[in-house]
Amino acid sequence: MKEELINRTLQELVNSSQNIEGAALVTADGLMISSYLPSDMDEDRVSAMSAALLSLSERAVEELEKGIPQQVTIKGDKGYIVITSAGEEAVLMVITNDKVKLGLLYMEIKGAAEKIQKAF
């Protein structure tokens, strides 16, 4: 049941906008829980990078005394990578193209993260 809810939530998130290319839920240790990614993406690499980025953001926020990291957004010339906490046990990573509206994306991600958090 929990797994179904997580899978459905990721699928709904990706399908909510033609600008969202994929999403993955990983543990803080970098292990894949569930993903809805393009077939040419390596899940192991995605999960490891997500965990590494979250860990680095935690260190930066701590060193700069800004509390607890809530979200990491990376802008590339072809799109965005957004990583956010989905509870204490999971990290939600979303990839988009460069046409995405960030405000709407953040709202969609927040809703998905809250659904996932309740599943744990």
Side-chain angles (χ1 to χ4, degrees), residues 6 11-13 25-26 31 49-50 62 68-69 94 97 100:
I6 290 169
Q11 185 176 6
E12 288 171 357
L13 175 60
L25 187 69
V26 302
L31 300 174
M49 286 186 287
S50 298
E62 183 179 308
I68 299 168
V94 179
N97 64 29
V100 72

Side-chain angles (χ1 to χ4, degrees), residues 23-85:
L25 187 69
V26 302
T27 66
D29 297 337
L31 300 174
M32 185 64 69
I33 297 171
S34 180
S35 71
Y36 198 79
L37 296 168
S39 59
D40 62 340
M41 285 197 180
D42 182 338
E43 286 188 348
D44 292 335
R45 292 182 79 186
V46 168
S47 60
M49 286 186 287
S50 298
L53 288 167
L54 182 67
S55 177
L56 183 58
S57 71
E58 287 172 345
R59 281 190 58 196
V61 169
E62 183 179 308
E63 288 290 324
L64 299 173
E65 299 177 2
K66 295 299 176 188
I68 299 168
Q70 295 182 3
Q71 192 171 65
V72 176
T73 301
I74 300 170
K75 180 182 180 189
D77 62 343
K78 296 180 184 177
Y80 295 88
I81 301 165
V82 179
I83 299 169
T84 190
S85 174

Side-chain angles (χ1 to χ4, degrees), residues 9 84-87 92 108-118:
T9 301
T84 190
S85 174
L92 176 61
E108 293 289 341
I109 290 173
K110 182 179 180 183
E114 287 172 357
K115 283 183 189 177
I116 290 167
Q117 200 167 0
K118 289 177 185 175

